[in-house]
């Protein structure tokens, strides 16, 4: 249907001109019982018809070239004379006077003389227009001769119908059927039938020029050259407006380019082109470019896909576009842009994706989830207000699942589970109750599906994932491969100890074996096996079992038993990560071996996670390999070089940098703190990765193990620099309790090592430690819980004051000891809290 409508709206300009101008000169007829009612008012009607012909000729004369051949000129005269003859015949048969006949002949002759007065040569396009014009002229004159058949009250009714008939191409057909001349009626009937056949063929058969233009636009877009497609579109529109082109671009052409920008992840360009269409329609009066809901939906989809880069800003723009569509529908009455269920759900999805950015449960992410639920409530409000008109806005399970995903993405999984249970309660209540029951007739009862439960399972990422999984099965919802994979991820992140029976690794393996049964309809995929390797890495402490999973994947894929289990880059990353977390003596060397095995397969290129796991393996092997920090930094530089050579899949992350810094902080080399600080400064030079507060905290920790007398001043300079960057607007540089604990550890170490040196002031170190502690307490009291002192904080304060010779040292130590006991329950954020 869209293709047919698209074709009909861009027919040749000659056809457009004919249909437009024909409707301007049509005069509606009133039904009469006999032809004897014709009066002398025919003359007045002919005069108005002749004026219309003059106006039409002037318009068409500007489009016809300067010369005409004698053959076409004679043809036009013949059409006009034939029109005059038919009018005379109609008037004579109805008893008209000589005066009427004379005036009619004069008018027709004037029209013919006017056409002859400017001889021009027609082109292929103007010949088509001229022929249509000639037939239209005779038809208008015939219509005028029969339009005066009414009198009295019929004249008023005709005036009322005139405005409706002026825009209808079928008015000519209606007027022609009112004449009683048998010979003329048959001839006109044959002509009308021929014109209808021509119109049907032109409407159902798209013009080659139109199809070629469509193909050009799509070809440019397929080549990722959307800019050229937009330039071609706007150029064609300009050529049509100034008369140098015959193709009139319409809303469907603009829709193709808007969709091209949307698919190329450039929502701003798509939105700019949509605004241009609005200007064309509302300000310039180009009615054929009326915006439609598909164009707005394309822009909203593009904004939803860009939330991983722009976050709440893109989601807010998508919602603003939705509100704009609502205003045009409710206030301006434009039904063509009325948002539907898909439009609302897309905006909810945009907010759900925005809620997944950054750290969990921060203010921005929670706001995104709240906006997602607000859009859902808007759908419920519209549907509850008018169920008949807003049936297509009734939220479905996809809309509810998107809101639940938003709450899970921001870390508020308990809120998501409450929403899930409410869905279940309403659905079960609606099943038990009849439709006429009060209290349940207006409830939108939507049953959660497997995707809804999977969102909760994946959101928990703990032992609760398994609980939700079993609850889903008990309620009769069949799990799919995504839900199995999500529960394996949950078991991988479980905090349960391995002393439990069965262990999380054993329970995960039991679920995997259920999927591998011969009669199972659900087969494990690559993501499922990767999750299983993560379980063995984090709970089984059995790297051989993790490697066995990888070898099984290779066998299943090469043998053809399971083509969905092909190992990918993340599979090798999971195994390398398993070696990194193992306590094997040669774990780092084995991780390198797996990495080189992956490089031999040209179809599986390393990704950022692969290098991160390998660097982590070397960072954790300091106790067994003296040069582990150098090896970790060497792999980072190789990663950086590959990225700068064009391999975007291995872009270094801040996590990569922090693993290298962690390796230096654990190194036994004397110059390890200086090497860590030098690496930190190199990151600012490369401008590829921006360090965060974890980076600075790790370097401060490196100075805590140094015997350098300048360690305190070096650590103080790093802390001061981090605070300045945070105050300048860099939110990632906000110090937390781990940062301050590492700095207090530096002061404690300096006091222990250098307390008897004349050039070291222990009292100054104690005063500085007290200032840090007071600042932490004040910040925590005004709501900054991330800097609240814990047990480790007070233990470092005791170490600082233990080497002081001050008389108040004993009182300070006893006071801090009591505080450490009181804060003993809150010791999760220790010195090494930044390692994971």
């Amino acid at each position: 249907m869209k293709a047919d409508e698209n074709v009909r709206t861009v027919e040749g300009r000659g056809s457009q001109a004919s249909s437009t101008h024909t409707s301007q000169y049509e005069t509606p007829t009133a039904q009469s019982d006999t032809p004897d009612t014709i009066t002398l008012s025919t003359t007045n009607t002919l005069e108005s018809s002749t004026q219309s012909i003059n106006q039409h000729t002037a318009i068409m004369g500007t489009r016809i070239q300067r010369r005409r051949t004698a053959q076409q000129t004679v043809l036009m005269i013949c059409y006009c004379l034939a029109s005059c003859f038919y009018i005379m015949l109609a008037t004579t048969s109805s008893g008209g006077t000589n005066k009427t006949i004379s005036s009619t002949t004069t008018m027709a002759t004037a029209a013919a003389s006017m056409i002859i007065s400017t001889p021009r040569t027609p082109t292929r396009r103007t010949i088509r227009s001229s022929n249509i014009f000639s037939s239209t002229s005779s038809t208008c004159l015939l219509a005028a001769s029969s339009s005066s058949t009414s009198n009295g009250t019929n004249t008023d009714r005709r005036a009322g119908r005139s405005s409706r008939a002026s825009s209808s191409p079928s008015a000519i057909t209606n007027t022609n059927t009112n004449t009683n001349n048998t010979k003329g009626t048959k001839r006109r009937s044959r002509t009308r039938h021929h014109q209808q056949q021509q119109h049907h063929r032109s409407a159902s058969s798209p013009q080659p020029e139109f199809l070629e233009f469509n193909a050009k636009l799509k070809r440019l877009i397929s080549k990722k050259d959307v800019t050229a497609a937009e330039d071609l579109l706007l150029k064609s529109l300009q050529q049509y407006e100034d008369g140098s082109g015959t193709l009139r671009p319409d809303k469907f052409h603009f829709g193709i380019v808007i969709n091209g920008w949307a698919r190329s992840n450039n929502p701003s360009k798509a939105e700019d082109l949509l605004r241009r269409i609005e200007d064309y329609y509302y300000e310039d009066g180009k009615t054929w470019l009326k915006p439609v809901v598909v164009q707005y939906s394309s822009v909203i989809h593009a904004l939803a896909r860009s939330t991983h880069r722009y976050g709440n800003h893109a989601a807010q723009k998508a919602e603003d576009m939705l509100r704009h569509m609502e205003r045009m529908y409710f206030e301006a009455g434009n039904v063509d842009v009325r948002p539907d269920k898909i439009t609302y759900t897309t905006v909810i999805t945009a907010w759900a994706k925005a809620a997944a950015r950054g750290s969990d449960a921060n203010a921005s992410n929670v706001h995104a989830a709240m906006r997602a639920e607000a859009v859902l409530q808007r759908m419920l409000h519209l549907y509850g207000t008018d169920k008949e008109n807003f049936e297509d806005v009734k939220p479905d399970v996809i809309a509810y699942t998107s809101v639940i995903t938003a709450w899970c993405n921001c870390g508020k999984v308990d809120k998501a589970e409450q929403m899930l249970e409410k869905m279940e309660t309403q659905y079960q209540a609606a099943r038990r109750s009849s439709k006429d029951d009060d209290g349940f007739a207006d409830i939108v009862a939507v049953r959660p599906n497997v995707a809804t439960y999977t969102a909760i399972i994946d959101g928990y990422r703990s032992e609760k994932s398994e609980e939700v999984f079993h609850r889903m099965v008990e309620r009769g919802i069949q799990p799919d491969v995504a839900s199995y994979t999500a529960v394996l991820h949950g078991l991988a992140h479980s905090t349960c100890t391995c002393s439990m029976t069965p262990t999380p690794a054993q329970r995960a393996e039991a679920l995997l074996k259920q999927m591998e049964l011969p009669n199972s309809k659900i087969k494990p995929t690559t993501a499922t096996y990767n999750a299983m390797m993560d379980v063995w890495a984090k709970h089984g402490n059995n790297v051989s079992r993790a490697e066995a999973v990888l070898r099984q994947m290779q066998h299943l894929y090469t043998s053809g038993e399971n083509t969905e289990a092909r190992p990918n880059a993340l599979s090798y990353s999971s195994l390398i990560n398993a070696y990194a977390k193992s306590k094997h003596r040669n774990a780092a060397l084995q991780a390198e071996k797996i990495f080189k095995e992956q490089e031999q397969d040209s179809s599986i290129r390393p990704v950022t996670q692969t290098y991160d796991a390998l660097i982590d393996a070397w960072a954790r092997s300091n106790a067994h390999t003296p040069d582990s920090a150098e090896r970790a930094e060497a792999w980072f530089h190789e990663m950086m070089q590959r990225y700068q050579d064009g391999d975007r899949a291995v872009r270094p992350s801040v996590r990569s940098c922090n693993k290298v810094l962690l390796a230096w902080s654990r190194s036994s080399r004397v110059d390890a703190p200086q090497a860590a600080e030098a690496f930190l400064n190199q990151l600012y030079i490369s401008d590829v990765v921006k360090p965060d507060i974890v980076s600075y905290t790790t370097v401060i920790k490196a100075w805590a193990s140094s015997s350098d007398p300048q360690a305190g001043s070096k650590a103080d300079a790093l802390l001061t620099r981090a605070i300045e960057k945070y105050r300048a607007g860099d939110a990632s540089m906000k110090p937390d309790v781990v940062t301050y604990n590492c700095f207090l550890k530096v002061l404690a170490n300096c006091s222990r090592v250098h307390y008897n040196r004349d050039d070291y002031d222990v009292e100054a170190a104690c005063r500085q430690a007290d200032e840090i502690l007071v600042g932490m307490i004040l910040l925590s009291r005004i709501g900054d819980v991330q800097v609240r002192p814990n047990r480790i904080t007070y233990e470092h304060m005791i170490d600082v004051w233990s080497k002081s010779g001050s008389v108040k040292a004993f009182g300070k130590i006893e006071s801090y000891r009591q505080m450490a006991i009181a804060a003993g329950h809150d010791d999760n954020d220790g010195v090494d809290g930044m390692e994971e």
Side-chain angles (χ1 to χ4, degrees):
M1 290 295 294
K2 288 185 178 180
D4 293 340
E5 183 183 354
N6 198 357
V7 170
R8 287 195 294 271
T9 55
V10 288
E11 293 179 358
R13 287 183 63 188
S15 300
Q16 293 167 353
S18 65
S19 62
T20 303
H21 295 305
T22 297
S23 62
Q24 291 178 356
Y25 308 122
E26 293 167 354
T27 305
T29 62
Q31 299 291 340
S32 60
D33 297 330
T34 62
D36 297 333
T37 58
I38 300 177
T39 64
L40 292 179
S41 62
T42 305
T43 304
N44 297 331
T45 306
L46 288 175
E47 290 177 355
S48 61
S49 299
T50 306
Q51 292 175 0
S52 300
I53 295 173
N54 294 342
Q55 181 184 0
H56 177 72
T57 306
I59 294 173
M60 295 304 298
T62 59
R63 298 187 179 181
I64 300 176
Q65 297 184 359
R66 289 295 180 183
R67 295 177 299 170
R68 287 187 182 172
T69 61
Q71 182 177 3
Q72 279 105 17
T73 304
V74 172
L75 183 60
M76 293 183 193
I77 296 174
C78 291
Y79 274 116
C80 291
L81 292 178
S83 301
C84 181
F85 172 75
Y86 282 121
I87 294 172
M88 292 169 60
L89 183 61
T91 306
T92 304
S93 62
S94 59
T97 62
N98 292 333
K99 181 178 179 180
T100 301
I101 297 172
S102 175
S103 62
T104 302
T105 307
T106 303
M107 298 299 173
T109 305
S113 302
M114 179 182 58
I115 297 173
I116 301 173
S117 61
T118 55
R120 294 173 183 144
T121 302
T123 61
R124 183 187 307 173
R125 175 175 149 223
T126 56
I127 290 174
R128 182 170 62 249
S129 301
S130 300
N131 292 338
I132 296 173
F133 162 69
S134 301
S135 61
T136 303
S137 301
S138 59
T139 308
C140 288
L141 290 172
L142 288 170
S145 67
S146 59
S147 64
S148 59
T149 58
S150 62
N151 54 19
T153 58
N154 288 341
T155 304
D156 297 333
R157 285 197 297 269
R158 181 178 68 244
R161 289 192 299 266
S162 178
S163 60
R164 295 193 298 270
S166 62
S167 60
S168 175
S170 62
I172 297 177
T173 303
N174 295 332
T175 56
N176 287 341
T177 59
N178 294 326
T179 61
N180 295 317
N181 189 302
T182 305
K183 184 175 180 180
T185 301
K186 290 181 179 180
R187 184 177 303 163
R188 286 190 297 276
S189 178
R190 288 194 299 270
T191 304
R192 184 172 67 253
H193 179 68
H194 176 69
Q195 291 177 349
Q196 289 175 350
Q197 287 182 332
Q198 292 290 340
H199 175 73
H200 176 73
R201 283 194 291 268
S202 63
S204 61
S205 303
Q207 296 183 1
E209 186 180 14
F210 176 85
L211 295 178
E212 182 182 355
F213 188 69
N214 270 356
K216 278 185 179 179
L217 292 177
K218 293 180 179 179
R219 189 160 52 247
L220 289 171
I221 292 173
S222 65
K223 295 179 180 179
K224 308 297 183 183
D225 196 356
V226 191
T227 303
E230 183 176 349
D231 292 342
L232 176 63
L233 177 64
L234 298 179
K235 181 180 179 182
S236 300
L237 180 62
Q238 183 62 36
Q239 290 177 346
Y240 173 78
E241 290 178 341
D242 59 25
S244 60
T246 60
L247 178 69
R248 183 180 73 176
D250 64 1
K251 55 188 177 184
F252 297 100
H253 294 120
F254 278 87
I256 290 173
V257 181
I258 289 175
N259 192 49
W261 282 123
R263 291 183 177 275
S264 63
N265 294 324
N266 199 330
S268 59
K269 290 285 188 179
E271 188 177 2
D272 290 344
L273 189 56
L274 179 58
R275 299 303 183 192
R276 186 188 289 262
I277 297 175
E278 290 182 341
D279 293 341
Y280 285 151
Y281 178 74
Y282 292 107
E283 297 183 9
D284 300 343
K286 296 180 175 61
T287 56
W288 67 90
L289 292 178
K290 186 177 182 179
V292 292
V293 67
V294 178
Q295 297 166 346
Y296 289 93
S297 298
S298 296
V299 177
I300 290 176
H301 274 286
L303 290 168
R305 285 195 296 268
S306 65
T307 49
H308 67 282
R309 289 185 295 171
Y310 305 112
N312 287 12
H313 177 69
Q316 185 62 59
K317 293 195 72 174
E319 187 173 354
D320 292 343
M321 183 72 69
L322 175 65
R323 296 287 177 252
H324 179 58
M325 296 172 69
E326 286 182 338
R327 285 193 297 271
M328 286 193 294
Y329 171 69
F330 288 109
E331 299 176 10
N334 187 354
V335 296
D336 291 332
V337 297
R338 171 182 167 176
D340 55 12
K341 182 192 307 180
I342 298 176
T343 314
Y344 283 98
T345 305
T346 305
V347 176
I348 294 175
T349 304
W351 281 117
K353 291 180 179 179
R357 298 180 76 248
S359 59
D360 291 343
N362 62 30
S364 178
N365 291 12
V366 173
H367 171 75
M370 293 175 62
R371 291 309 312 156
E373 187 167 357
V375 176
L376 176 65
Q377 294 300 324
R378 173 68 172 166
M379 297 175 70
L380 291 170
H381 172 74
L382 290 175
Y383 175 72
T385 303
D386 191 348
K387 291 185 175 61
E388 273 189 44
N389 292 332
F390 292 103
E391 178 65 29
D392 59 340
V393 182
K394 178 181 178 182
D396 56 7
V397 67
I398 300 176
Y400 277 95
T401 302
S402 297
V403 175
I404 287 175
T405 303
W407 284 116
C408 291
N409 287 344
C410 74
K412 300 289 186 179
V413 191
D414 53 344
K415 178 80 173 178
E417 190 171 8
Q418 291 175 8
M419 193 171 184
L420 172 68
E421 292 304 316
K422 184 178 180 181
M423 291 175 65
E424 281 285 0
T425 302
Q426 291 182 347
Y427 174 73
Q428 296 299 334
R431 284 188 62 187
R432 290 190 301 267
S433 305
S434 62
K435 293 184 179 179
D436 298 331
D437 244 355
D438 292 337
F440 295 101
D442 296 332
I443 290 179
V444 179
V446 179
R447 185 186 186 187
N449 60 10
V450 63
T452 314
Y453 278 94
T454 302
I456 304 289
I457 294 169
D458 192 54
Y460 270 121
R461 291 291 176 106
S462 65
E463 56 272 6
K464 294 196 70 174
S465 299
E466 192 178 10
E467 296 178 12
V468 179
F469 177 83
H470 291 304
R471 192 192 316 161
M472 176 185 69
V473 176
E474 291 172 359
R475 291 175 176 176
I477 298 177
Q478 182 66 30
D480 58 5
V481 65
S483 55
Y484 272 104
T485 304
V487 75
L488 291 182
H489 280 299
L491 289 171
H493 291 82
S494 174
T495 57
C496 297
T497 61
C498 295
S499 60
M500 293 180 58
T501 304
T503 65
Q506 291 171 342
R507 300 201 301 271
E509 192 172 31
L511 290 172
L512 181 62
K513 288 182 178 179
Q514 288 181 12
M515 302 174 69
E516 292 176 335
L517 291 174
N519 58 349
S520 176
K521 296 181 180 179
I522 304 172
K523 297 298 180 183
T525 62
T526 301
T528 312
Y529 285 110
N530 291 349
M532 188 66 231
M533 282 192 283
D534 287 338
V535 174
W536 283 117
K538 295 179 180 179
H539 288 286
N541 195 21
N542 193 336
V543 69
S544 60
R545 299 294 295 271
E547 187 168 357
V549 174
L550 178 63
R551 304 310 172 196
Q552 183 184 3
M553 294 173 66
Q554 293 171 339
H555 170 72
L556 291 173
Y557 178 74
T558 54
S559 64
E561 296 180 28
N562 188 352
T563 56
E564 298 296 326
R566 180 182 183 180
N568 58 12
L570 294 180
S571 306
Y572 287 93
S573 302
S574 297
L575 182 56
I576 294 172
N577 186 50
Y579 273 108
K581 288 180 169 55
S582 70
K583 298 180 181 179
H584 287 211
R585 185 177 184 85
N586 298 323
L589 295 175
Q590 290 295 326
E592 268 193 15
K593 182 179 177 182
I594 298 298
F595 181 86
K596 292 177 180 178
E597 177 186 337
Q598 176 187 352
E599 285 189 316
Q600 293 176 359
D601 190 346
S602 58
S603 63
I604 306 177
R605 297 189 306 169
V607 294
T608 300
Q609 292 88 332
T610 315
Y611 277 97
D612 286 352
L614 183 58
I615 294 172
D616 188 31
W618 281 111
R620 293 172 182 267
S621 65
N622 276 294
H624 308 293
T625 310
D627 62 340
S628 59
E630 293 92 330
R631 300 288 290 272
E633 186 171 348
W635 281 111
F636 176 85
H637 288 307
E638 179 182 323
M639 180 186 186
M640 178 71 76
Q641 187 61 46
R642 291 187 65 162
Y643 172 75
Q644 293 175 344
D645 291 342
D647 190 353
R648 301 303 178 188
V650 294
R651 179 187 177 97
S653 65
V654 66
R655 187 173 185 271
S656 314
C657 307
N658 293 340
K659 290 298 181 183
V660 176
L661 293 172
L662 182 63
W664 281 115
S665 69
R666 291 177 169 179
S667 176
S668 57
R669 282 179 43 172
V670 178
D671 61 340
Q674 291 85 348
E677 190 165 352
F679 179 79
L680 178 66
N681 295 330
Q682 289 177 9
L683 298 178
Y684 287 102
I685 298 175
S686 64
D687 200 26
V688 175
V689 184
K690 185 181 73 170
D692 59 4
I693 191 59
V694 178
S695 310
Y696 278 80
T697 302
T698 310
V699 179
I700 292 174
K701 181 191 173 187
W703 282 110
S705 303
S706 174
S707 58
D708 191 329
Q710 301 297 323
S713 60
K714 292 286 187 180
D716 185 48
L718 288 168
L719 179 61
T720 303
R721 196 199 315 180
I723 294 174
E724 289 176 352
K725 288 182 178 294
Y726 172 68
R727 290 176 177 173
D730 189 351
S732 67
M733 296 299 298
K734 182 181 183 299
D736 57 8
V737 64
V738 181
T739 309
Y740 290 115
N741 283 353
C742 287
F743 180 72
L744 291 176
K745 185 178 180 181
V746 174
L747 295 179
N749 183 68
C750 290
S751 297
R752 184 178 65 255
V753 176
H754 307 296
Y755 74 95
N756 56 355
R757 291 173 59 102
D758 296 336
D759 57 347
Y760 185 78
D761 190 352
V762 178
E763 293 292 332
C766 292
R767 288 193 300 271
Q768 188 176 13
D770 279 347
E771 292 174 1
I772 293 293
L773 179 61
V774 171
M776 295 172 67
I777 294 174
L778 291 176
L779 288 174
S780 63
R781 286 180 178 177
I782 63 175
D784 190 355
V785 296
Q786 294 182 347
V787 297
R788 185 177 59 184
N790 57 20
R791 177 180 57 82
I792 297 177
T793 309
Y794 295 112
E795 288 179 353
H796 290 324
M797 292 298 299
I798 294 172
D799 290 340
V800 173
W801 278 96
S802 63
K803 299 300 180 182
S804 172
S806 174
V807 292
K808 58 181 180 179
F810 179 78
K812 286 278 188 180
I813 293 173
E814 186 61 28
S815 174
Y816 291 143
R817 183 176 289 113
Q818 294 299 324
M819 292 180 179
I821 295 173
H825 65 279
D826 187 21
D827 58 353
N828 293 326
D829 295 324
V831 168
D832 296 333
M834 71 286 191
E835 293 186 5
E836 292 299 331

